[in-house]
Amino acid sequence: MKLYGYFRSSTSYRTRIALNLKGLDYDNITVNLAQDEQLEKAFQSINPQGLVPVLQADDLLLYQSPAILEWLEEVYPENPLLPKDPAGRMHVRAMSAMIGCDIHPINNRRILQYLRHELSVDEEEVMAWCNRWMNEGFAALEKRLATDKTRGKFCYGDSPTFADCYLVPQVSSAHRFKVDLSAYPNIVDIDTHCRTLKAFADADPTVQPDAPKA
């Protein structure tokens, strides 16, 4: 398999985590978002939407990270990332959507570039924008985790699920945008535990082949 992505892309990051948790080998193909390679004809022929990640499995091109994760779960059921029961699967998918639909898209690169270049928003206001929406989303997720009896070491139970694949990249983004996480102890605890696992550590943006070298 080949994963077209970018080291800092949260959607690429969550897909790397899922692939690692499944124990699957893949080649990283860099699409440099900072240089707008996603807009070039070569990548547009792979994904006309011009977004990463894209996972190539033989002749199949998979796009949109939620769909990719669902495909991985169906095709590679070993090391499951969804609970067995329907209520549990709904719960994990809902927590994933809280991050993937209600936090991440508002703060992704396309939105921030529009704020900067089309609306002439200064960097301080861009940071305030990111903080506003990440804090709102994290506050809701924190309340759910605090009262959730299904929560163990991870967002759901004692093994990683889709929800953790979504959470850890969003926490990384929060650090990058200087979001104060002190009000979210459950989120911080889950994130800290996840990062002790090799699958998460190997997916970290700082260790990707296209990450800037110190």
Side-chain angles (χ1 to χ4, degrees):
M1 290 191 286
K2 296 178 181 179
L3 179 65
Y4 294 82
Y6 184 58
F7 79 101
R8 195 184 288 165
S9 157
S10 295
T11 51
S12 301
Y13 190 176
R14 71 175 68 133
T15 305
R16 292 194 301 266
I17 294 171
L19 285 162
N20 293 348
L21 287 169
K22 290 287 186 182
L24 299 171
D25 292 327
Y26 59 95
D27 294 325
N28 274 301
I29 309 296
T30 298
V31 181
N32 193 323
L33 303 187
Q35 296 179 8
D36 289 331
E37 288 183 358
Q38 77 280 9
L39 304 178
E40 295 178 2
K41 187 176 181 180
F43 185 68
Q44 292 271 323
S45 67
I46 294 172
N47 184 6
Q49 196 176 14
L51 298 176
V52 294
V54 172
L55 183 67
Q56 182 175 358
D58 296 323
D59 294 330
L60 182 64
L61 290 173
L62 300 118
Y63 54 95
Q64 288 290 342
S65 62
I68 294 173
L69 265 62
E70 292 282 356
W71 181 86
L72 289 171
E73 186 72 359
E74 292 180 10
V75 177
Y76 300 98
E78 301 82 3
N79 303 319
L81 299 178
L82 285 172
K84 292 180 179 180
D85 63 295
R89 292 198 297 273
M90 179 284 302
H91 189 39
V92 166
R93 287 177 170 128
M95 285 190 289
S96 301
M98 289 177 72
I99 299 166
C101 298
D102 298 326
I103 303 177
H104 167 257
I106 308 173
N107 298 287
N108 73 11
R109 185 176 183 274
R110 290 191 302 164
I111 300 299
L112 303 188
Q113 292 295 82
Y114 182 79
L115 292 175
R116 291 176 178 122
H117 302 309
E118 301 293 330
L119 301 183
S120 301
V121 175
D122 66 34
E123 203 58 31
E124 184 177 344
E125 291 174 311
V126 169
M127 294 289 282
W129 170 277
C130 292
N131 272 260
R132 164 71 170 79
W133 298 114
M134 287 191 197
N135 274 304
E136 180 175 295
F138 276 166
L141 181 59
E142 177 70 19
K143 288 179 182 177
R144 182 165 293 281
L145 291 170
T147 59
D148 191 351
K149 295 180 181 179
T150 66
R151 204 209 122 191
K153 294 179 180 179
F154 299 91
C155 289
Y156 183 95
D158 289 315
S159 60
T161 66
F162 285 178
D164 306 290
C165 297
Y166 279 76
L167 179 64
V168 171
Q170 193 60 56
V171 171
S172 288
S173 290
H175 287 307
R176 195 165 78 251
F177 291 108
K178 297 179 171 55
V179 176
D180 181 1
L181 299 178
S182 60
Y184 316 121
N186 290 290
I187 288 174
V188 170
D189 285 350
I190 293 168
D191 176 73
T192 300
H193 177 69
C194 286
R195 291 176 191 274
T196 66
L197 303 184
K198 189 175 187 301
F200 287 86
D202 287 350
D204 191 274
T206 61
V207 300
Q208 299 313 302
D210 55 326
K213 301 300 183 284

